[in-house]
């Protein structure tokens, strides 16, 4: 059974760096083909894909946010970590991590965490 | 980036009636080498994360009721709920995975009339 859970601060100040951790079970980020995505959703708005970390560190980032994002993983702890620098009030959103369906060509997300609301305010 | 545009933004349908949601991509999502359409649909209920309904434009995810179906070709896609149930009230999103960056539509809010 696959589960994911996001953790991190609920409130950050403008210009600060946000670090979110996705702790998962039921799969390993050291297994070929496995990936974990990060998606965010501002209150009342649409989903926005941020990044995707793969088992082989072939990470992908949204071009519009690439300069601010870093993905890392700790396979021994079954964790994926997203870091976003220079936070702005417009980054206020619920941040989700999600399991990427394994298989050629799949960049779809079949299991999601419950999400964590991050508010950016001074 | 591939832009995904859904229509309508909101929809009210009577219980038991058909609901149709459209999604248009700014470029074809058909990968010629495998003849697959790189389009997925998600359902998001209030306070919950999205739930994968359909992928490859028309393949229903395991456990999804068969009243949900997807169709389309190239750049135009449709999600159909054949007989609306109360539990189908949600926001529905299409997502393309033909190329990075992955992009979502703006969402369609489905309500009961």
């Amino acid at each position: 059974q696959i589960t994911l859970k996001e953790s991190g601060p609920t409130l950050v100040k403008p210009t600060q760096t946000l670090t979110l951790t996705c702790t998962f079970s039921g799969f390993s980020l050291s297994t070929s083909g496995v990936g974990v995505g990060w998606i965010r959703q501002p209150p009342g708005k649409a989903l926005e894909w941020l990044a995707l970390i793969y088992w082989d560190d072939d990470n992908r980032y949204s071009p519009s946010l690439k300069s601010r994002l870093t993905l890392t993983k700790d396979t021994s702890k079954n964790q994926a970590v997203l870091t976003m620098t220079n936070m702005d009030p417009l980054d206020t959103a619920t941040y989700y991590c999600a399991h990427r369906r394994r298989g050629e060509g799949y960049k779809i997300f079949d299991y999601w965490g419950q999400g964590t609301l991050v508010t950016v305010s001074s | 980036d591939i832009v995904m545009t859904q229509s309508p933004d909101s929809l009210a349908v009577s219980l038991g009636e058909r609901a149709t949601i459209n999604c248009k991509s700014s470029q074809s999502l058909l990968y010629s080498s495998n003849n697959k359409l790189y389009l997925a649909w998600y359902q998001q209920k209030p306070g919950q994360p999205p739930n994968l309904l359909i992928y490859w434009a028309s393949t229903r995810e395991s456990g999804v009721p068969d009243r949900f179906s997807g169709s389309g070709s190239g750049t135009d896609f449709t999600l159909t709920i054949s007989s609306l149930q109360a539990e189908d009230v949600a926001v529905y999103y299409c997502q393309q995975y033909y190329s990075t960056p992955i992009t979502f539509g703006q969402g369609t809010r489905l309500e009961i009339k």
Side-chain angles (χ1 to χ4, degrees):
Chain A
Q1 180 188 359
I2 290 176
T3 64
L4 305 98
K5 185 175 183 179
E6 308 84 356
S7 59
T10 57
L11 178 66
V12 297
K13 290 180 167 49
T15 76
Q16 285 188 336
T17 294
L18 171 69
T19 299
L20 292 175
T21 300
C22 177
T23 303
F24 52 82
S25 63
F27 66 95
S28 172
L29 257 177
S30 60
T31 300
S32 177
V34 172
V36 171
W38 288 91
I39 302 98
R40 71 178 179 181
Q41 185 172 37
K45 295 190 176 181
L47 301 164
E48 179 186 14
W49 174 75
L50 302 177
L52 184 52
I53 183 167
Y54 286 101
W55 83 101
D56 60 357
D57 294 319
D58 182 21
N59 302 336
R60 304 299 170 95
Y61 298 92
S62 169
S64 63
L65 293 167
K66 185 175 183 178
S67 63
R68 299 173 54 204
L69 296 176
T70 303
L71 289 171
T72 58
K73 58 181 169 61
D74 186 332
T75 54
S76 66
K77 294 182 179 179
N78 278 346
Q79 291 180 334
V81 177
L82 176 75
T83 302
M84 180 180 291
T85 61
N86 194 25
M87 292 292 285
D88 181 272
L90 289 175
D91 296 314
T92 294
T94 296
Y95 286 76
Y96 296 99
C97 63
H99 173 265
R100 167 200 172 264
R101 166 79 46 93
R102 286 182 69 194
E104 184 66 31
Y106 284 116
K107 293 189 187 71
I108 58 175
F109 304 104
D110 52 2
Y111 295 90
W112 293 63
Q114 283 299 307
T116 185
L117 175 61
V118 178
T119 301
V120 184
S121 175
S122 55
Chain B
D1 299 6
I2 297 176
V3 177
M4 307 298 292
T5 304
Q6 292 182 227
S7 62
D9 289 334
S10 63
L11 180 63
V13 174
S14 300
L15 289 173
E17 296 299 304
R18 178 186 300 263
T20 301
I21 298 170
N22 301 301
C23 175
K24 189 176 183 66
S25 57
S26 60
Q27 65 184 73
S28 176
L29 303 184
L30 178 64
Y31 198 49
S32 56
S33 64
N34 59 12
N35 204 37
K36 287 186 173 182
L37 291 162
Y38 283 57
L39 188 283
W41 289 97
Y42 296 84
Q43 174 194 64
Q44 187 178 30
K45 297 182 179 180
Q48 296 184 19
N51 180 48
L52 178 65
L53 293 177
I54 288 179
Y55 55 98
W56 300 132
S58 61
T59 301
R60 200 179 303 115
E61 175 72 341
S62 176
V64 172
D66 61 7
R67 64 180 179 273
F68 291 89
S69 64
S71 63
S73 60
T75 60
D76 292 278
F77 304 91
T78 300
L79 174 70
T80 301
I81 307 172
S82 60
S83 176
L84 189 71
Q85 305 299 304
E87 61 265 31
D88 301 334
V89 169
V91 179
Y92 292 84
Y93 294 94
C94 58
Q95 176 223 319
Q96 67 81 19
Y97 50 106
Y98 182 89
S99 65
T100 309
I102 294 164
T103 48
F104 292 88
Q106 81 276 20
T108 295
R109 185 175 302 277
L110 178 59
E111 299 173 333
I112 304 295
K113 184 186 291 182

